[in-house]
Amino acid sequence: MIVEQMVEGGCFEAVEALAEHAYIGRGRFDWAKVRDEAHKSLDDRYGEAQVELCIEKCKG
C-alpha cells in the first residue's frame, strides 16, 4: 500500500515566501537558510515533518 503525504497549503505558501527571500541569483536559492527559518517559524504550527515535506516539495 502506497501512502502519499499531503502538503498543507498554508505551510507550503510560507515556505515559498521564505524561499523568495533566500534567492541568491541565477535560479538558485539558499536552501539551508530556508530550512532554518522554516523550522524556526513553522514547526510549532505545522510540525517538523510537514515543514520538511513542504521544503522538499518547494525545492522541486
Side-chain angles (χ1 to χ4, degrees), residues 10-37:
C11 182
F12 185 77
E13 290 172 4
V15 170
E16 276 187 322
L18 290 170
E20 288 176 7
H21 287 65
Y23 183 72
I24 56 178
R26 296 189 179 188
R28 298 178 310 173
F29 297 86
D30 183 351
W31 289 109
K33 181 178 179 181
V34 173
R35 178 171 276 113
D36 288 344
E37 290 297 319

Side-chain angles (χ1 to χ4, degrees):
M1 183 171 135
I2 297 175
V3 177
E4 185 173 323
Q5 295 175 320
M6 297 297 292
V7 173
E8 291 190 34
C11 182
F12 185 77
E13 290 172 4
V15 170
E16 276 187 322
L18 290 170
E20 288 176 7
H21 287 65
Y23 183 72
I24 56 178
R26 296 189 179 188
R28 298 178 310 173
F29 297 86
D30 183 351
W31 289 109
K33 181 178 179 181
V34 173
R35 178 171 276 113
D36 288 344
E37 290 297 319
H39 282 296
K40 283 181 195 173
S41 60
L42 301 172
D43 276 2
D44 289 340
R45 183 170 182 183
Y46 296 104
E48 186 177 346
Q50 181 64 218
V51 172
E52 195 61 37
L53 178 64
C54 289
I55 292 167
E56 292 304 314
K57 293 283 186 178
C58 194
K59 285 170 78 172

